[in-house]
Amino acid sequence: MSNTEVLPLLEPESDAVAPCCPPLTERPFTAEEAETAARMFKALGDPVRLRLFSAVASHEGGEACVCDISDVGVSQPTVSHHLKKLKEAGLLTSERRGTWVYYRVEPSVLAAMGKLLTMSPGAARR
């Protein structure tokens, strides 16, 4: 007899964007907001990580198998290291399917990053 239990699927709570921080021109960051934004930008500050992030974000279907994005001029262990750093910064999520890992950029992450760098309407007149 099996003691496996079928768990219900969870629906996404909301498609709303929950940005990490306000636009740079809106007000000064709090210490926590600055830490969060710095972690994201630091992760993207490496050209290999930026290429990997771009490869995942632009991949058809919104996700990419590590086997499809590993051709960035560095060894496979280095690719894995950089993908791990992008995950730690909250920029990527991953899911293992058999022997491969698939990476995804959540749309809310891209929207939040875009909002962070957007100029607020009042800032244009300063």
Side-chain angles (χ1 to χ4, degrees), residues 3 7 10-11 29 39 51 64 73 81 94 96 111 114 117:
N3 59 355
L7 298 174
L10 295 176
E11 295 298 323
F29 282 172
R39 192 170 40 254
R51 287 185 67 201
H81 165 77
S94 67
R96 179 171 290 284
L117 297 174

Side-chain angles (χ1 to χ4, degrees), residues 34-108:
E35 285 289 328
T36 301
R39 192 170 40 254
M40 289 189 324
F41 287 118
K42 183 177 181 181
L44 292 174
D46 181 282
V48 172
R49 288 185 201 143
L50 189 55
R51 287 185 67 201
L52 288 168
F53 184 76
S54 173
V56 173
S58 64
H59 202 269
E60 185 178 333
E63 68 178 7
C65 173
V66 69
C67 60
D68 294 328
I69 59 170
S70 59
D71 187 21
V72 291
V74 296
S75 68
Q76 182 56 49
T78 303
V79 167
S80 295
H81 165 77
H82 286 303
L83 289 169
K84 178 182 174 189
K85 292 295 184 183
L86 290 167
K87 280 183 61 178
E88 288 172 351
L91 297 170
L92 294 180
T93 59
S94 67
E95 177 184 348
R96 179 171 290 284
R97 296 182 198 152
T99 58
W100 297 110
V101 178
Y102 287 78
Y103 290 88
R104 179 175 29 269
V105 177
E106 295 300 326
S108 62

